[in-house]
Amino acid sequence: MNILGIDHVQIAMPAGEEEKARAFFINLLGFHEIPKPPELANRGGAWFKAGTVQLHLGVEIDFRPARKAHPAFLVDDLSRLIAKVQSAGFETDTTQPPLDGYKRAHIFDPFGNRIELMEKTR
């Protein structure tokens, strides 16, 4: 048995905040929304896709943002994306040291969840 890849990553969000999620993940990060299966649609949340990456936001009743656990997305212009997120008024952390072959930074979604953005340097 082998793990072949990641199908999707899920992070939590508070109930009723789907429009904030759409504004952030679609307008700022460039995802597009994909439909949830009908049997899951009544649970709330939203699903997004960018390239081969799927991100599912699921409603958590006693929501607390993930400030340590996080998805990491590869991007092609880290500086431009960080500037876009900052100009929209969202929290960023650009103090992260580079990793071998990557520049990186953290951003925080409208709910306070940490997201790492990484750009290859070679």
Side-chain angles (χ1 to χ4, degrees), residues 23-33 49-51 81 84:
F24 185 82
F25 289 101
I26 294 171
N27 299 340
L28 287 179
L29 298 190
F31 282 85
H32 67 273
E33 189 167 4
K49 186 172 183 176
L81 189 51
K84 186 175 181 181

Side-chain angles (χ1 to χ4, degrees), residues 62-108:
D62 295 325
F63 173 76
R64 286 189 204 108
R67 300 294 287 182
K68 184 70 174 172
H70 63 277
F73 300 129
L74 293 174
V75 301
D76 62 1
D77 191 340
L78 180 64
S79 298
R80 186 169 157 226
L81 189 51
I82 291 299
K84 186 175 181 181
V85 170
Q86 287 174 334
S87 70
F90 290 96
E91 181 184 359
T92 61
D93 175 5
T94 58
T95 64
Q96 298 304 308
L99 294 177
D100 188 29
Y102 294 92
K103 295 188 300 184
R104 64 196 190 104
H106 292 139
I107 61 173
F108 296 84

